[in-house]
Amino acid sequence: MSLFNLMRHLHLNRISSTMILQNQPQLGVIRRPEIQEIQRRWKADDRRTLIASMPIKDTGTQGEKGIDVDLLAKNKEDMFPTADTPNLLFNGIRFDELPICHIKTTPNNTIMQVTDYKGLEMYATHSCGAEGFKNTRKGTNIAAQATAITVGNTLIKKGVTTIRVKIQGMGPGRMSSVKGLQMVGVNIVSLTDNTHISYNPPRPRKARRL
């Protein structure tokens, strides 16, 4: 076993260096420059592994197919709720009593929760991290779509087929999560953007001195 492989085995298995060197007397004394070189090679290998695990190109929101929502509605007034909207029936359920799917999408993750209209009963909750995506892959549109498909299947099993959707945040999973819910057959009757807009943002950091 070479010195590099021995030290890497020591690092991965958290084995005492004294115990290792006692069993490998032919290696002699390891000098500090050699240890620093080994640590540098470790960091380089870890960085290559991280880069290899990342998607080739993170398309984000730009990878979504852009559709002009205004063209889908024959009458522009049909796009917005009216005073009679809460009384409309969807599958025999009033609009204001439909389950609500809360989607919080950030650049690093997408979290989905489906509750009743009062927010008391939880039908499903999931996230990209719970779906199995790690590190930067949690912030991709593919991860958001896979998470939405899992949530949609859970809703179908529980007999929930018609929901309202409220989206918060400007992450890559905004459109992908809605698309994933539609792919499994969930009927979405309304989309609401609840992204917080701060009209009095916090004071910015002071300018860097050059």
Side-chain angles (χ1 to χ4, degrees):
M1 180 182 294
S2 64
L3 176 60
F4 175 75
N5 293 333
L6 177 64
M7 293 296 293
R8 187 166 184 82
H9 175 75
L10 166 67
H11 172 72
L12 295 177
N13 296 280
R14 303 296 191 271
I15 303 176
S16 172
S17 59
T18 304
M19 180 177 64
I20 288 291
L21 292 177
Q22 287 177 354
N23 297 329
Q24 303 288 338
Q26 68 275 14
L27 293 177
V29 179
I30 303 178
R31 292 182 289 272
R32 181 175 295 274
E34 297 177 355
I35 296 177
Q36 292 177 349
E37 176 64 19
I38 291 173
Q39 291 176 347
R40 187 190 63 80
R41 293 173 62 182
W42 282 349
K43 292 180 180 179
D45 288 351
D46 292 341
R47 185 173 181 274
R48 293 191 195 98
T49 304
L50 177 61
I51 293 176
S53 64
M54 294 175 61
I56 299 177
K57 182 179 180 181
D58 184 9
T59 56
T61 54
Q62 298 178 356
E64 300 294 337
K65 182 180 179 181
I67 300 177
D68 191 357
V69 181
D70 295 340
L71 299 178
L72 300 178
K74 297 180 180 179
N75 189 0
K76 297 294 182 67
E77 297 178 356
D78 296 338
M79 296 177 55
F80 304 100
T82 61
D84 193 47
T85 300
N87 300 323
L88 297 178
L89 295 179
F90 297 90
N91 289 342
I93 306 176
R94 286 167 48 95
F95 176 84
D96 57 354
E97 295 181 357
L98 288 173
I100 303 175
C101 178
H102 303 273
I103 302 175
K104 182 177 182 181
T105 170
T106 65
N108 298 321
N109 201 356
T110 300
I111 304 173
M112 304 180 64
Q113 291 181 339
V114 184
T115 64
D116 61 351
Y117 69 100
K118 294 182 179 180
L120 300 177
E121 182 180 357
M122 181 82 66
Y123 294 111
T125 178
H126 208 46
S127 67
C128 295
E131 184 68 18
F133 294 90
K134 303 296 182 183
N135 301 327
T136 56
R137 294 193 174 190
K138 294 188 297 183
T140 59
N141 49 7
I142 298 175
Q145 182 172 328
T147 304
I149 291 175
T150 302
V151 172
N153 289 328
T154 303
L155 295 178
I156 296 295
K157 292 179 181 178
K158 294 185 177 181
V160 179
T161 58
T162 305
I163 62 173
R164 298 156 54 193
V165 173
K166 294 184 178 181
I167 305 176
Q168 177 182 354
M170 299 297 293
R174 283 175 62 91
M175 295 300 296
S176 299
S177 53
V178 177
K179 183 193 300 182
L181 291 173
Q182 291 178 333
M183 288 174 61
V184 296
V186 177
N187 184 24
I188 300 174
V189 299
S190 72
L191 283 173
T192 306
D193 193 346
N194 282 349
T195 303
H196 174 69
I197 300 177
S198 177
Y199 294 98
N200 185 24
R203 180 178 175 180
R205 296 174 63 117
K206 67 177 183 179
R208 182 185 174 191
R209 298 181 61 182
L210 300 177

